[in-house]
Amino acid sequence: MSSQQEFKQRDRLPARPAIAHAPTQVLFANAHPSMSHVSADFIPVFGECIRMTREVLFSKDAQPFLIAGSGTLGWDQVSANLVEPGENVLVLHSGYFGDSFAECRPVKAPIGAAVTQEEIEKALKAKKYKVLTFTHVDTSTGVLSDAKAIGETVKRVSPDTLVVLDGVCAVASEEIRMDDWGIDVVLTASQKGLGTPPGLSILVASQKAIKVTDARCTRLTTIADPASPRPRWLPVMNAYEKGSPAYFATPPVNLIYAFHASLSTITRGSVSLEERFAAHRKASARMKEAVTAMGLKQLPLDPAFAANGMTAVYYPEGFGAANTLAPLAQKGIVAAGGLHKDIKDTYFRIGHMGITVVDPSRGDMDHVIDSLKAVFGKQ
Ligand SMILES: *Cc1c(COP(=O)(O)O)cnc(C)c1O
């Protein structure tokens, strides 16, 4: 079997929420010879990744930081660069991923719901918060937060508070308009909606957030230098975008090639960004109708709070992980078990993001729905 055919074979596995799989051209780009990070071949590739990342978030001037690491590294960057000891952070909690900042003050929603605008307003009026964080799509529950409304509430009630969006699951499967909605930081990773192998931490900061970093006295980690007022990563990103190399630490060169291939499809492909988000909404509605028709109950309490890149469903009577996930795996479908610690064994999750929905000729959605029917004896 040629390597191209091997890639194609594996490429047929439908997505699961933890890692959405990468299209063939992305895997090939990942296999690019490992160039020097200062080579003429690599510099424009990195520069274009920075520009295209900004485009995916509809921003004119926010600053992307593409750094080796997982999505979780974004949290360290936020706490090290934007929050000083003693400052308050308001964490909106809609599931497992709200725990990332658990030592801060959480406002918790019941399982299956997002925190309401009234609760956010009340919290912001009670105390001054430097930063508000929320998970756009909580991958543990499939709950979607209303990013636009949160941005508007903060702007109206506490305009100095920086709005930080955890978009690890959401970016490229949900619409995010950083500038229009007043989102100051989006942190994400390569492996979910962005359809690239894992290993790239992607943090995008508004100019307002960058100014806060500049004004800090305790500079602890990646964006800034601990020993001097000199920022570390910012000049590196700026240099590559302008077409020349700079060094602070070696970038994950191959992943940048892979990310470039994926971003090129997302921003310059035959499907526009708007069409891409519409395709996710349509596929999601179809999956949610199908599971409802099978008599299954979803985790999100209200369809308005349901993510478009995944569906979280309770097992029907008599079913659990063992007699659901294994038979699905036999049909080539990698669904994920539950993750929210209180109800982990009662539900499972189906990912439908990236090429699974943008390229209907693959037939992934039909195959997943037919397989669920077969496993639950509904046909
Ligand atoms: C997956 C995920 C993370 C963690 O990302 P890693 O790359 O595993 O560190 C954080 N937040 C959300 C919403 C996620 O889905």
Side-chain angles (χ1 to χ4, degrees):
M1 193 188 279
S2 76
S3 59
Q4 175 139 17
Q5 280 167 329
E6 263 178 64
F7 271 143
K8 280 227 172 89
Q9 284 272 318
R10 295 197 199 128
D11 207 23
R12 270 212 285 278
L13 281 174
R16 66 188 160 118
I19 298 188
H21 63 156
T24 310
Q25 71 273 24
V26 175
L27 296 174
F28 271 108
N30 197 48
H32 192 285
S34 297
M35 306 302 287
S36 157
H37 58 280
V38 298
S39 67
D41 193 83
F42 177 68
I43 295 164
V45 174
F46 201 170
E48 280 167 27
C49 282
I50 294 171
R51 281 191 283 276
M52 290 191 283
T53 300
R54 199 179 277 130
E55 273 175 49
V56 171
L57 298 168
F58 299 97
S59 179
K60 276 197 291 297
D61 62 355
Q63 179 59 54
F65 293 87
L66 310 179
I67 293 166
S70 77
T72 304
L73 178 66
W75 286 116
D76 292 343
Q77 287 179 273
V78 166
S79 38
N81 290 286
L82 294 177
V83 192
E84 308 264 1
E87 288 176 339
N88 299 312
V89 177
L90 180 64
V91 179
L92 309 185
H93 192 291
S94 55
Y96 174 88
F97 289 100
D99 291 336
S100 312
F101 246 128
E103 66 274 20
C104 303
R105 178 168 305 265
V107 177
K108 285 202 181 197
I111 292 174
V115 179
T116 64
Q117 300 311 309
E118 291 73 31
E119 289 168 300
I120 298 171
E121 179 162 351
K122 198 169 144 222
L124 289 173
K125 281 182 172 158
K127 198 167 178 177
K128 187 163 176 55
Y129 288 99
K130 174 80 168 290
V131 169
L132 172 147
T133 73
F134 71 102
T135 312
H136 197 195
V137 169
D138 196 295
T139 325
S140 75
T141 55
V143 167
L144 174 70
S145 290
D146 188 341
K148 182 173 181 223
I150 292 170
E152 280 167 4
T153 300
V154 174
K155 199 185 231 169
R156 181 167 53 77
V157 183
S158 179
D160 291 339
T161 301
L162 295 171
V163 180
V164 176
L165 179 156
D166 175 343
V168 178
C169 188
V171 171
S173 71
E174 304 285 351
E175 184 177 46
I176 302 172
R177 294 185 176 266
M178 270 188 93
D179 295 359
D180 291 352
W181 299 354
I183 309 294
D184 293 296
V185 176
V186 171
L187 59 96
T188 187
S190 44
Q191 75 272 23
K192 294 181 192 168
L194 289 164
T196 304
L200 197 58
S201 152
I202 299 150
L203 181 132
V204 187
S206 68
Q207 290 303 324
K208 181 175 158 197
I210 297 279
K211 280 203 193 81
V212 170
T213 309
D214 280 349
R216 282 190 44 132
C217 43
T218 43
R219 293 165 191 276
L220 291 171
T221 185
T222 48
I223 295 177
D225 183 332
S228 78
R230 188 165 53 89
R232 284 175 163 180
W233 281 115
L234 188 56
V236 175
M237 300 298 148
N238 288 340
Y240 275 98
E241 196 171 353
K242 289 194 184 107
S244 55
Y247 177 74
F248 166 59
T250 307
V253 171
N254 287 64
L255 273 177
I256 298 284
Y257 278 102
F259 190 39
H260 186 270
S262 188
L263 283 172
S264 301
T265 318
I266 294 171
T267 62
R268 319 253 189 274
S270 53
V271 176
S272 71
L273 272 174
E274 278 80 5
E275 287 164 344
R276 182 181 188 82
F277 298 128
H280 281 80
R281 286 192 293 269
K282 192 171 152 209
S284 174
R286 188 171 163 218
M287 180 62 73
K288 286 164 174 71
E289 273 159 31
V291 296
T292 304
M294 287 176 230
L296 306 183
K297 188 172 167 263
Q298 292 169 55
L299 257 77
L301 300 172
D302 176 338
F305 294 134
N308 292 298
M310 62 172 287
T311 298
V313 252
Y314 291 104
Y315 294 114
E317 191 71 33
F319 284 87
N323 58 359
T324 303
L325 304 184
L328 284 175
Q330 270 169 6
K331 294 173 183 295
I333 296 166
V334 188
L339 184 58
H340 194 294
K341 58 183 186 311
D342 301 342
I343 51 163
K344 187 159 105 30
D345 298 326
T346 65
Y347 75 104
F348 69 107
R349 298 168 295 147
I350 307 154
H352 33 82
M353 59 181 92
I355 42 171
T356 298
V357 303
V358 177
D359 178 3
S361 72
R362 296 165 53 89
D364 289 342
M365 292 297 289
D366 298 319
H367 180 51
V368 174
I369 291 172
D370 291 347
S371 302
L372 287 170
K373 283 186 192 159
V375 168
F376 296 136
K378 299 288 179 187
Q379 60 190 7

